[in-house]
Each structure stands twice: as C-alpha cells, then as structure tokens.
Amino acid sequence: MIPATRNGLLFIGVVFHIVYLQSIFDIYFRSPLVHGMTPHKVSLDPPAKRLVLFVADGLRADKIFEPYDNRTSGHVEELAPYLLNKVRTEASWGVSHTRVPTESRPGHVAAIAGFYEDVSAVTKGWKMNPVEFDSVFNESRHTWSFGSPDILPMFAHGTSDRGRMDTFMYDAVYEDFAGNGDRLDTWVFDEAERFFARAIPGGSELHTLMHQDQVVFFFHLLGIDTNGHIFRPNSEEYLGNVRYVDSGIKHLVEQLEAFYGNDGQTAYVFTADHGMNNRGAHGDGHPDNTRTPLIAWGAGVAKPDTAPAGQIASGHDGFSAGWGLDRYARKDVNQADIAPLMASLIGLNFPLNSVGTLPLSYLNATDEFRARASFTNAMQVLEQYRVKHDQKQHTEMFFKPYAPLHEPTNTPDHMLTRIQGSIDAHSYTQAVEECQRLIALCLEGLRYFQRYDWLLLRSIVSMGYLGWIAYSLLFIFRAYVFPESTASGAVVYRSSSPRAIALLGGLVFLALAAMFYRQGSPLMYYAYAAFPVYFWTETLLQISLVRQIAATYKQMSARWRPAAFIVGYVLLLEALVYAYFDRRVYSVAFVLLATVWPLSVSAHFRRRHKGLLGMWAGVCLLTSVFTLLPVEADDRLGLVIASGMLITLSGLAAWHYSSTFTLAPPGSSPNRARQAIALDRTLILVNTLLVAAATVLAPLTSRETAQRGYLPRTLQIACWAVLIISSLLPLLHGSRLNTAARDQHFLYRLVSLYLAFGAPFVLLTVSYEGLFYFAYSVVLLLWLTIERALYHERAENQLLTPPMQTRLSRLEPHAPSSAHSAPLLHKSQSALPGRRLEIGDLRTGIMFLFFVNVAFFGTGNVASLASFSLSSVYRLMTQFDPFAMGALLLFKIFIPFFLVSAVFGVLSRSLELPPFSLFLFVLSTTDVMTVNFFFLVRDDGSWLDIGMSISHFCISGLFVLFTIILFIFSHVLVGSVLIPSASGVSIKKQR
C-alpha cells in the first residue's frame, strides 16, 4: 500500500533510486570479460626478444609533438627532440585514442591488457583489481616494473605467478602536489640505472633471466601528470617535465642497449594512459584527455612511411597540422590496440580478454608474419565470441544468434578455413583482409550479445521510473491536496477489487522472475522488476483517488490553469535536461526571472516593493553571467581576493544592521537580553573576520607554495584552522546539535550560515567561484523575501493573516489568526501542520528545483569533476590522496546546496506549507529528467558522449537521495528559528 507517512515514502524512494542507479551498468556497461578461452600466439619466431614500455602519465599528444614557442629564449624548439628524431628516422607513430574514464587505472588496463574496463568496475577499487584479467605482463616470461604505487601493484596482483613480476616503487609520500613533480621521474630513472648496474655481472641469476626472451620492462612516469595537476599543461613545469622525460628516456635507452650489447633485439613503445585538459584535470571524454601519443621503434617495428617533399603523408588532419611532421605518416590506433602489438612483437600469447585490433602498419615483418599475426588476433577475438555465444544460447529461452555469423556459408569455421587456405596458398593480403573482416564481425557479435537484453530491461526500468512518479504523486494528493482522504492514518480511496489487482501484479512479477531464473540473471534484475510491479499495482489500487482528482479538475472554473502549470513544468524539466549540455540555458532563465516575474505580479505589489524587485532584476542579471563563463578558467588570484572582499564587506554590513534581526531570549531580563544580543552580533563579526582571514591566506598560500616548491606548514595549519573553525561555528551555535541553543531570527541564522561557509569557499576558490557564491547567496535571499511578501499580500486579500511567529522546528498545526479565516480552511485540516497545497505553490517548487540546478552548474559542470580544479585543495594539502582531496572538493561543491536547502526550509514554513510537501513534489517529478537521461546513456560514439551520459544519469538518479540528505543537514544547521510576519498586515479584505 502507499505509505501513510512521508518518511515511509522517502524510504521507498531512496531504496528505489539507489537500486535503479545500478541499472545502466547492468544494461549498458556489463563487464565484457568472459573466461574459458584458449590462448593464441603467433606461430612464427617473433622479431624481438624483449619489450620496453614507457607510459608518461597524463601526457597529451599535442604537447609532445607540437613545436614549443619558448618566449624566454625567443626560439621555437622541440620539447622531445630524442623521441621526435625517432619519429623521423626509425619509428612508427600516431595518436592513441583512449576511452572514458580517462584515469590512470583504466588507461593502463586498456594499453596493457587490451580491453576497456567497464565503468562500474572502476568504482570497486583504486589500486587492486575488481575483476581478474589477463595482460601482457602476465603472459611474459618476466616483467620488471618501475614507478608509482598506484599503478604497479594492480598488475602484479593480477599475474598468475606472483614471482613473474618485480615491482620497484617509491613511497606514496613522494606523490606530493607541492614543488616540481619531475622528482618522481628522477626516482624511476635513477632506480633503473641502479638496477641495470646490479645486473651487469655475468653469471648472476638476474643477468641470466634478463637475457631470456619474452621479458618486459615497464617504466611508469608520473611526473608529467603531477605537474599538470599543480601547474596546468601549458605551464613551464609541465612542458619542462616533457623535456626531462625525453632526455631521461634517451639516457635509459642508451644504457639498456649497452647492457644488451646493441643486439637489435629490443622493441620500444612510448605512450600515455590519458591526457589532461587546460585546467589540469582529467577523467571525462574531452579530446585533450582522450588523445595520447604513441611512438614505437626498435626490433620488429616498421620504419616511418615518408611522403615526398612538399606532400602530406597519410593520417594527418587539422589536429596535427602544425606539428611539422606532415611528411611522416600518422598511424592512429585505439588504446586497446597497443596490447596485441606488444604481444606480437615478442611472441606472447595475446591477452585473453583483449578486444584490440593488431595495427599491422606498425610491424616490420614479412607478409607471412603479418598474416599469421592477424590470424592469431582473429582467433583470440573469436574465442571470446564463442564463449559469449554459448553462454547466451544456454540461458536464453528464445535464443536468437548473431545473424551475420550464423549464415550457412559464413560461419566462423568457414571463415577460418578460408583464411587458413589463403595463408597456405601464400595469398597473405587476402588472408589479412579476411582476418580483419572476421575480427570486425566478432566484435560486432560481442556487442550484439552485450545488448541482447536491452529492450526488456529498458522497458522494465522505464516503467519503474514512471511508476514511481505516479505512486508518489498520489501520496502528495492524498496527504496534502485532499487531506480528507486520511482519517487517523487510515487510507481511503481503495479499489473495490483489491485482490484481483494484487493477484495480477503478483502474476506479472512471477512471470518475470521465472524468466530471469531461467536465464541465470543477477539478483538485481528481480529488484528492477519488483519496483514497477509494486508501484503500478498500488496505483491501480488507488483508482478511486484518481477519479476524485479528475472530478475535482472538471469542477474547476479555470481548468486551463493547472493544465498550463503541468505543461510549463514539464517544459521546464526538459529545458533543465538540455541545460546539462549547455549551461547558457540558466543565463536565459535568469534573464526571464529578472524581467518576466516582476511583470507577472500585481500592480499593487510592484508599486509597494519597487526597490525589492529592482534589486532582484539586477542580481539575477549579474548571476546570469556566471553560466556564460568558461568552465576551464585559469587561476585568478585577483578574483579570489575580490570575492573575499565582497563577502567580508557584506558581513560587515550585516553586523552593522544585525540589531534589527537579533532576538533576545523570551522572558529574559534586560541585562540578559543585552548580553545575548551582543553575543549574536559578536559571532557575526567573528565569522566576517574569518572570511577576511581566508581572503588573505588564499593568495598568500598559493604564492608561497609556488615560490618555495612546497606548502609552508604554518600557512597550511592556518588554512585548516580557518576552515574548521568557520565550519563548526554554525554547528555549535544555533543548530540542533546544540540542545541548549535558543531560537534565532531566521535572517540572523541564514546570514550566519552564509558567512560561516564563506570562509571555506574562499579558501577553496581558484577563480570566479567566490563571486558566484556571493551573487548566488544574494539572489536566494531576495527570492525568499519576495516569496514572503507575495504570500503576505495574498493573506491580506484572503483575510488570512499568518501567525506572528512560526517555529521552523515545530510541526504543530497553526491556529487561524482570525475567525474570518476559518471558512477558508477545511474542517479536517487541523490534522495537518500548515495548509494544503495549491496550484500557486508549485511555482515555489519549480524555483527551488531551478536554484538547485544552478548550484550544480554555476561554476562548472558537476557531471564531470574534471570541470572543478583540483588545485582548489592545494592550500590545504598537496600530498596525493584522491579520497581526501575529493572530499574537500565535494565540500566546496556542496556549499551552495547547503544554502539553497536552508532558504527553502525557511521559505516552506514562511508560506505555512506542510513540512516536505513541496519538497516531495519536486522529488516526485524530477524523474522525468532521469528517464530522459536513461535513454540518452551512450555506450558508443565519442568518449565525451559516453562519459557525460553516465554522469548525467547518475546525478539525476541520485537527486532524491542527495536532496534528502541536504534537506536533513540544513534542517540541523538552521535549527529552531523564528519567522515573524510582515508588519502592518491588515485583515481587511482588499477589493
């Protein structure tokens, strides 16, 4: 049954949305890994005995290939002369295209294991493996790896023989975001030099092992990524680190060649796991993050394909137009293609789960070797297809095979026979073409089986979200629009045939459960089916209430009004969906709020509140600017100082006028009253001074850290002290955590919260975010003031005067102010705290939803944390800790939400609405956006589209849980406040 209490509804809503959040990973991003395949390797002798892999973490392709205009020396130079010389003389090169998430772990997995780790698996572990997978390292005879403790252990952990891979790692404390990150690469190069020195004496076990075939050396170079996070990719530190890596690789290659006596049996591969955007972040699908370099040279690698002078070689486009490499063919690959390339160079089994296609253009080998290597690649991918095919055939009730590989003359066996025949007949070109075709069909077949259950699952999930909307809206109608439907908690409006409806729902669920059981589906599938069956069964059981809603609508004299509100609300939700892709929608909305809303109120209200509406228009227009600004803004300490000064000045103004909104304890003596008011005013001043301290500390800490190369301890402690003290003050004074706290004026409490969070926000600001915080806070306060004024005007017109003081902390019903107001209230409304919902109240809910979304996108795209600069936290900590840094970044992002939820809580009580009524309405209907994003999720196309679609759905799907937590948190923060009515309210009806 539909729960009788809002807490029951909220509990069901939270569980439902958490469960359904997993749905896109079960539908769109199920793990591609299958097991039970037979390994395959090229049957001919490999061209190389050993492989050396360099991964420059965080290196963008353009930063190593393009000429660098050194303004200090006045010359244009190459940052990587050694590697670029390889490109011109003996290397094959191109751009390696990565996939989202563009993070270190999935990037290394793609390059070394040959498959794209599914997005859901990335959340299950930072350093270790959420799933077991095969890799080039695991297939090697032995691998020696040097570098970061964040990367090496996950491959060592995944090897079938733990003794097969040695790891040489620096301590985690080295990963400090203060100073130049090239020290990490220095450690790797120095450790490698010491390692080769230890191996020089002949006869040792290490010397013997290193001279065997199928060995791999892996060098993970993290300095470039570190400097990119600290100084940005266009900085001298980042570019200088590229130059340093180039020289370090040159020295290391010379040392390695000398160790092996220049035997020409070593293959080298240089690449990166991901790139980096101009703001020093990565993770999403921006091209700066997905385009990485690939340079291969040495044994078995093709020499450069050079075009005649004056001509442009193949593979080039506008991206590489200015690199000066037009004569040398650019051979782009997908990142997963690197794994089969490395395996073929030294004769390893291709990684079992690899979906990469061997880039034959990188191989310097005979036609027969190319054909057999391509044949091995095809058989390895076909093995995965066959396992997947057999699994589906065994579990599906009405199995449909992949048609292109099920034709009588085009089965995999027929194709393998033709390929083998072509090889035996020395028709190697034809064999390669057949292999490429088979690989493409197998990959499409794997994709077909990945999408096999899409239609059914997407239908179930869609019905679940639509069912939740109907289910929760019926609760709102019953509890807040038709309160007469509830008597002492007993539910009315039940169907006349509940058993038949319940039986029908049970049969539908049993049918779906039987099908899932036959298919061996995960337990989550049963949960996906249970929710829509439950929601729609309950909706049908409430059919009498639906009829009552329809009958009430027919009796309305202005039936166009609710219809217009519904249409307008749905259009707004669709506009907010579009705003996820284009932040300028919010700018347009602010302009409309600045111009249209003041014109929509009564002429009397405009005359009476001319100054208030003028301020509203001005601040809305000011706030509209922020969603026009670029997300990737450089550090601007001047803007940080300006924002801190604005917040400080506003705090001083609030302190000056605080005597008008500070209240003495009721019944206190004059002396006690003066002391209480003095304390409240002093706390406002303290909060203001903390903002001023943050305004000084923020730029000072940034400059000192840049000059000294490390974060000064004294400044770090001062920043932490300001952040902690300022954040704790509202908890210790006036919140519900302080049981001895007295009632405060609502404006005093909101100002205190604004100033308390102002100091941490300034400390975590790197550009214009602080100015947004100031403008956003002012526009929220003006919204609250206008809504209260509109309500009081309506109260005058209806002879209904709000109570003089309303406690936000109490839920008791309000007694009518006047006998005149009694007929306007339903006789049973005393069972509810406040009044019932009306059509006009929906505007307030719409405004709340709008301001929540503005908080999401005001200074960045919260769908991608890469839009928020990680350098925000460098004033507090520089040693790399993804969880602590992420927590600080999220705290900064959440601060605007604390404010909007606090203002909305005060506003709801100011309008005498039942607690959570408008809040529940917003939560019930925002899944219209979630359904949009559910069908917009992409598992193909550009990496940017894939990553952003996942982020958008997760944000919308978690909106219920996120807003509930914020609402509870703000309820605790706001505490017990007094909301006085406007002065001079007349109970005389205006005509």
Side-chain angles (χ1 to χ4, degrees), residues 425-461:
H426 305 291
S427 300
Y428 300 124
T429 301
Q430 182 178 344
V432 168
E433 291 175 353
E434 285 285 341
C435 288
Q436 299 290 341
R437 181 167 174 266
L438 178 57
I439 291 172
L441 286 173
C442 288
L443 291 177
E444 284 297 320
L446 287 171
R447 184 170 184 77
Y448 168 78
F449 289 123
Q450 281 288 101
R451 294 184 167 191
Y452 196 87
D453 298 321
W454 271 28
L455 178 61
L456 174 64
L457 291 175
R458 292 206 292 187
S459 300
I460 291 174
V461 171

Side-chain angles (χ1 to χ4, degrees), residues 53-58 103-105 108 112 126-128 137 144-157 165-177 181 183-189 191-192 218-226 229 273-274 282 879-882:
L53 172 62
F54 300 100
V55 176
D57 203 304
E103 300 289 350
S104 292
R105 176 203 173 94
H108 281 85
I112 299 169
W126 180 259
K127 300 176 184 178
M128 291 301 156
F137 297 164
W144 292 272
S145 57
F146 303 79
S148 168
D150 296 327
I151 298 300
L152 306 190
M154 73 173 179
F155 289 102
H157 177 77
M165 182 172 177
D166 291 333
T167 58
F168 300 87
M169 302 175 292
Y170 40 76
D171 195 272
V173 298
Y174 267 62
E175 298 180 15
D176 193 321
F177 286 96
R183 65 186 180 281
L184 302 175
D185 300 336
T186 299
W187 188 96
V188 171
F189 292 135
E191 185 66 22
F218 170 45
F219 301 96
H220 176 239
L221 305 168
L222 186 59
I224 293 174
D225 181 77
T226 303
H229 286 307
D273 52 351
H274 57 76
H282 53 82
Q879 184 175 331
F880 180 65
D881 187 331

Side-chain angles (χ1 to χ4, degrees), residues 969-987:
F969 186 69
S970 68
H971 190 63
V972 172
L973 275 182
V974 171
S976 179
V977 299
L978 300 175
I979 307 175
S981 67
S983 58
V985 175
S986 171
I987 64 171

Side-chain angles (χ1 to χ4, degrees), residues 5 95 101 293 318 428 469 484-485 506 518 693 716 726 761 819 900 944 975:
T5 64
V95 174
Y428 300 124
I469 294 173
E484 61 270 18
S485 67
R518 171 68 176 80
Q716 183 184 25
S726 184
F761 203 86
V900 70
L944 177 63

